[in-house]
Each structure stands twice: as C-alpha cells, then as structure tokens.
Amino acid sequence: MFFDVFSFFTLIVLTLLSVIVSHASNSSSSSTCVVKDKEEDAELGEMATMESLIGLVNRIQRACTVLGDYGGDSALPTLWEALPSVVVVGGQSSGKSSVLESIVGRDFLPRGSGIVTRRPLVLQLQKTEPGREEYAEFLHLPKKKFSDFSMVRKEIEDETNSLTGRLKQISPVPIHLSIYSPNVVNLTLIDLPGLTKVAVEGQPESIVQDIETMVRTYVEKPNCIILAITSANQDIATSDAIKLSREVDPTGERTFGVLTKLDLMDKGTNALEVLEGRSYRLHHPWVGVVNRSQADINKNIDMITARRREREFFASSVDYRHLAGKMGSEYLAKLLSKHLESLIKTRMPGIACLINKSIDEIEAELHQLGKPVAIDSGAHLHTILELCCAFDLVFKDHLHGGRPGGDRIYSVFDNQLPHALRRLPFDRYLSLQNVRKVISEADGYQPHLIAPEHGYRRLIEVAVNYFRGPAEASVDAVHSILKELVRRSLAETQELKRFPTLQAEVSRAANEALERFREDSKMTTLRLVDMQSSYITVDFFRRLPQGNEKGGIPPAAAPIDRYTETHFHQIASNITSYIRMVSETLRNSIPKSVVHCQVREAKRSILDYFYVQLGQMKGNQLAALLNEDPALRERRQQCIKRLELHKSARDEIDSVSWS
C-alpha cells in the first residue's frame, strides 16, 4: 500500500517536471525563433535598403543623363560626378566586353576590330524575381522593351553612329542602358572606350589622347570605383588600365583588379603572383575570370553555360583551386555590388548636403538671370519700361551720390572752372600797349573829349568774350561725365544685361538726350556770357572817380593827360576791376546754367523721348528689343535643368528609408 502511494506521488512529480522542462524548452525554442526571425528581418531590411540605395543612384543617374549632366567640363554644379559609380577601364583586347557580358549573363555588346566602344555606356543592372522575363531598356527609347539582346547590340551601334558617325570618332555623351534580369545583381557599371596606343585607319590622330582624356575625366573623381581589366597573358607592368589607375589612385583604395584570359596562359605558367597580390598589391583582392573564347562566341555558347564552365575551371585547376570561392564573374559582380552599396551609404549624406547647397546656388543665379520673357506685346512693353526704370534709378543714384561719379560734376565747378577763369590772358590783353592801341583806334580821327567810352566798350566786349571758352569747357566736361555715368549705369543694371539690343537702344536714347541737353546748356550758358558784354554795369564806372580820388589817383580830366601812360594804366585798371566782377558773376551763374540745362534735365527726362518712341512701336519691334543674349538664355536653360535635376534628386533621397 505504501509503495503504491509512493509510486503515485513519484509519477505526479515526474509528470510536473516533464511539463516544466517541456515548457522551458518550448520557451527557449520560441525565443530562438524570435531572435532568428528578427535577424532575418533585419538582414532583409538591410538588403531592401541597399537595393533601394543602388536604385536611388540609378534613378538620379538617369535624370542626370536626360538633363545633359554627365560630368566633363561644366561651369555649373554637376551631380553626376558626386554619385558613386563603377567605371570599367581596359586596353583593347583585354577582355573588357567579355567581362561585362559575363556579369550580365547576356551577349549584347558590339564586337569587332579597333575601337568598338566609342561612347560611354552606363549599364544599370536590376535584379528581378526568379522566373521573370529578362529585358533591356534604353533611356533614349523610353517604354520600349528589348527582349532580343541581339537587337540591344544593334541599338548600341546605331545610337553610337547617330552621334559619332561611322568615322570611328568618340563622344562623351553616354548611352544609358538598363537590364532587368533574375540572373544579375543590383549594380551600375560605366563602360568606356578601350585605351589604345595607335589610331587605326579612318580615325583622327588625336584619338589616342582623346580616349585617355575621356577615361581620366571619369576615373579621377574620388567617388569612382575603378574596375581595371588586364589580360593574364600580358605583363602586368605594361597594362594600360593598371598604369592609369596607379596614376589617379596610387594607394589602390578605389581600384579593383580583374585578370582575364587565365585559361589562355602558356602551360606551366599561372597568375598567382598577381592574384595573391605579390606582383602588384591593391587595397582590394584581385579577381580572376575566364571568359568565353572566340570559338565559344562563334558557336553561340550561352552565358549560363559559360558561367558553369568558368566555375568548373577554377574548381578543377591545380593552381587556382584554393582561390575558387573568390574567382569568377559571378563573384566579381557580387563583390562590386556590395562595395558599391557600402560606398553609396557612406557618401549619401555628403551628396545630400551637396544637392541642397547646389539648389541654393542655382536658385540665386536664376534670380540674377531673371525670368523668361512673356510673348505678348503688352508684356513686352511692360518689361521694357521696367528695365528702363531700373536703369534710370541707377543713373539717378550716381547723381545723388548713392553711387560714385556724380561728385565729379561738382569738381568741374569747384576746381576746373575757377582754374580756367584764372588762366584767362587778361594781363596780356589789358597791357599798356594794347590798351593804347584799342583806345586810339576807337577814337578814330576825332579824339575823345572827356572819357574814351568807345574804347572802354570795345575793351570790355573783347575781354568778356574770353569767358566763352571756360563756359563751353564746363558744358562739355559735365556732358562727358554724364555720358560716363550712363555707361556705368547700363553696366550696373543687371536686368539689362540679358537684352543687348535693348541695352544698346537705351544707350543710344540716353546719349542722344544728353546731346540735346548739351546744346541747350551751351546756348544758355554762352548767352549768359553774351549778356555781360551786351549791357555794361554803369554804376560800377560811375563809382570809379570817387574810388580813385579816395585812393589818391587823379582823375583823367585834363586833356593834356589823356594820352599819357598814367592815363592808359588807369583805363586798364578800371577794366580789370570790372572784368573781375564779371568773372565772379559768371563763376556763380555758369554752374547754375549747366546744372539746370544738363544735370536737372538728365535726372528728370533722360529717357522721355525714348518712351514716346516705344509708344509708337509695333509688337514685332518690341519683341526685337527683348532679343535676349543667347549666352544668357542658354545659361538660364542650363540652370533650370540643373535645378530640376537637383530637386528631383533631393526628392529621391528623401524617399529612401535611412533607419
């Protein structure tokens, strides 16, 4: 009985323990599954993010190509050069095309002797779901899918010839090709013309240097990954690709070395010195590939079979068996894809900053260049009047002192005019000899009785005429200053620079107005001078006897003294005093006349006559005035395209999840 009870309790305890252990085991298993699921989700999320990053760069590159931004010499900010890319570089017959076709898994590139690739080919690979149809799309043929890859080859040839002709010339304008396939990895490659040492028949002599220059513009950029293709059956020291990459990337941090034609090496030799980094070390490991032979191509051996044969070559090779896992075109594609993804993620924050900065700079320049001109006559007239007002404001600002130049007008009156008046030759003209001559000639056959009035008037009239020179010089000096201010104002009116025809017409109208003002000013100012000789101030001479008596100089009253030297000295002294008074009067009145007739009128109505002419113009004449400078129009169009590109890129970047 005791044992039965004991057995019963033992059974219960064991059952409870079993339940506890089972629960713990299930909990542990459940936790492990949760962790594993989280890791898989994180990995999938990271893969999705990376795929979206490469897709992001692909979309931006396509936009760059459409809008004409593919690097090279450009005065505008270029987004293309900031984007990470893999550039394929190699000499002719290095196997460059075969490597690309192996990565894609399709035979689609033109082949032949000489330089076959004559334009950059931007090749964007997009991995699709297994079982989906493979197809290709060209950016210049939107919405047209190519499932026959022989037609892709033909289209590359035709598009190349459409721009370069059939004379073997090259062009920096890229062809943009996207391939969608389950047999590729997400990757973007830029295939460039093969480096060559001599020009073949039909090519310009500069072709060798032209190709090297084009390749350098790509590989010199710090965001460029260089895929240097070298044939295994040539000395690595003579490789064109390695030589160029060594120059632009001496540390080898941006260079991936690819060794082709390993299967064509002489028996008993191998490329381990290169592949293991002993012959020429790079930051990244060398990758060996085995491409299809010409016989395979002639037999139409497909790429899938070629890839299988390549794997078998490395797996069965005594020399390369230990490196088989890191050899072949499939491994190369994955390696490049992973590195490109990593580089994009690293550089993207900097690219985003560059885009925002470029948007600000381009918008500022567009503001300076102004908006495009409307097409109707009313808008044309409104625009012309606005531009004329802008010029007028700048011109007035010069006169008012807000801008330099107007102060020179005051300098004419404060320095130039007084100096000219002081230099008039009155001492020579009123010399004793000349006064005697003029007085004697004025008396004629009948000598004067009391005072030689005719002689006085003749001396004064001739002396006053001397003031005409300084008066005219003041008018001309102010006119020259006003013309210079017009020239400056035209140059400083930024809005007018867009329209050289209108700028020339405004210049013509303003200068014609200044000529009219000058003529009016000259007439008025010289009239002031003539007034001084037309009417002599009598009171001045009436006061002279009293002044002379007070000064101890006897009056010229006695007839016996009229022709003495003292008498003629007195006449010269009297006229000199009068001329000084006239000089002081003109020194004050000439500036008033000049300012009133020239400066005031220029400030008030320099373009009034031009406005009347505008009102009489027809629509086509107004449009002709707004014939914009072609260089500025082209600049605005480029800025608009660049702004559209950068804003599109900013939106693309904002759409990607960075978490």
Side-chain angles (χ1 to χ4, degrees), residues 430-438:
L430 295 175
S431 65
L432 183 65
Q433 181 181 357
N434 195 55
V435 169
R436 180 186 292 113
K437 178 177 180 294
V438 172

Side-chain angles (χ1 to χ4, degrees), residues 474-654:
S474 297
V475 171
D476 290 339
V478 170
H479 176 75
S480 296
I481 292 171
L482 291 174
K483 284 185 67 176
E484 173 61 20
L485 294 183
V486 165
R487 189 194 65 78
R488 284 193 191 182
S489 301
L490 288 168
E492 293 171 10
T493 306
Q494 295 296 328
E495 301 91 327
L496 267 176
K497 291 182 179 179
R498 294 172 52 191
F499 309 105
T501 303
L502 177 59
Q503 189 179 46
E505 284 299 304
V506 171
S507 175
R508 178 195 58 79
N511 283 294
E512 286 181 356
L514 291 181
E515 287 292 341
R516 293 193 298 272
F517 301 153
R518 175 167 69 169
E519 291 304 314
D520 185 36
S521 177
K522 187 172 291 186
M523 185 183 301
T524 302
T525 305
L526 292 179
R527 189 170 292 168
L528 288 176
V529 176
D530 295 341
M531 287 177 184
Q532 295 296 329
S533 60
S534 298
Y535 185 82
I536 299 173
T537 306
V538 179
D539 289 344
F540 178 86
F541 290 96
R542 286 176 178 173
R543 291 194 299 270
L544 284 179
Q546 292 84 0
N548 289 337
E549 288 175 0
K550 292 176 183 179
I553 303 174
I560 194 170
D561 295 325
R562 284 176 191 159
Y563 292 99
T564 65
E565 187 172 318
T566 302
H567 176 64
F568 290 121
H569 270 303
Q570 186 60 52
I571 293 173
S573 177
N574 292 341
I575 294 175
T576 299
S577 297
Y578 183 77
I579 292 299
R580 286 199 188 102
M581 183 192 73
V582 172
S583 178
E584 194 62 29
T585 300
L586 291 176
R587 178 177 175 178
N588 293 322
S589 59
I590 287 174
K592 294 178 185 294
S593 172
V594 172
V595 168
H596 179 79
C597 296
Q598 286 178 271
V599 181
R600 176 174 170 270
E601 286 302 307
K603 185 170 65 173
R604 187 176 66 175
S605 59
I606 192 169
L607 291 180
D608 279 7
Y609 184 67
F610 183 58
Y611 293 148
V612 174
Q613 292 177 313
L614 287 175
Q616 299 170 350
M617 288 185 181
K618 297 180 180 179
N620 60 337
Q621 293 173 309
L622 294 172
L625 289 178
L626 294 178
N627 184 18
E628 193 173 17
D629 183 352
L632 290 177
R633 184 167 58 245
E634 176 63 23
R635 182 73 174 182
R636 186 191 301 106
Q637 290 300 320
Q638 289 180 353
C639 284
I640 291 172
K641 287 182 178 181
R642 289 294 196 278
L643 185 61
E644 178 185 344
L645 168 62
H646 283 74
K647 285 186 174 181
S648 172
R650 182 177 62 184
D651 293 341
E652 291 283 2
I653 291 174
D654 291 343

Side-chain angles (χ1 to χ4, degrees), residues 133-317:
E133 180 186 8
E134 294 179 277
Y135 66 93
E137 285 183 344
F138 287 95
L139 190 61
H140 62 273
L141 294 174
K143 299 182 180 180
K144 182 176 180 179
K145 295 183 178 181
F146 289 78
S147 55
D148 182 351
F149 281 80
S150 64
M151 296 304 295
V152 172
R153 180 190 305 111
K154 184 177 184 305
E155 182 59 35
I156 293 174
E157 292 173 345
D158 292 344
E159 182 63 15
T160 298
N161 292 332
S162 69
L163 198 62
T164 63
R166 300 181 179 275
L167 299 178
K168 304 297 183 182
Q169 295 176 339
I170 63 171
S171 167
V173 181
I175 299 174
H176 214 283
L177 174 64
S178 297
I179 294 179
Y180 302 84
S181 169
N183 302 317
V184 299
V185 296
N186 292 305
L187 182 60
T188 300
L189 300 161
I190 301 176
D191 184 26
L192 298 175
L195 297 165
T196 184
K197 291 183 173 61
V198 293
V200 300
E201 185 178 356
Q203 293 175 339
E205 291 298 325
S206 62
I207 192 75
V208 176
Q209 185 59 47
D210 292 343
I211 291 176
E212 183 175 339
T213 300
M214 179 194 293
V215 174
R216 281 184 181 275
T217 60
Y218 280 87
V219 299
E220 285 176 343
K221 309 308 176 187
N223 291 316
C224 169
I225 302 169
I226 305 169
L227 189 62
I229 310 294
T230 302
S231 174
N233 54 9
Q234 77 171 103
D235 187 353
I236 194 70
T238 65
S239 167
D240 294 322
I242 292 300
K243 179 183 176 183
L244 184 60
S245 66
R246 183 189 290 118
E247 292 178 11
V248 299
D249 180 33
T251 62
E253 294 182 1
R254 297 190 290 114
T255 303
F256 283 81
V258 178
L259 210 58
T260 64
K261 303 182 181 181
L262 292 170
D263 55 329
L264 301 181
M265 296 185 70
D266 294 336
K267 290 185 178 181
T269 62
N270 59 51
L272 289 178
E273 289 287 323
V274 176
L275 293 176
E276 292 180 347
R278 296 191 298 274
S279 176
Y280 183 77
R281 181 175 294 278
L282 296 172
H283 186 77
H284 304 283
W286 282 79
V287 178
V289 296
V290 175
N291 299 322
R292 292 181 302 167
S293 64
Q294 187 60 48
D296 292 337
I297 295 172
N298 295 339
K299 294 177 182 178
N300 292 323
I301 300 297
D302 63 82
M303 286 298 177
I304 302 302
T305 302
R307 283 181 178 180
R308 177 177 55 77
R309 289 182 177 180
E310 183 183 44
R311 290 193 298 270
E312 292 173 352
F313 172 84
F314 286 110
S316 61
S317 171

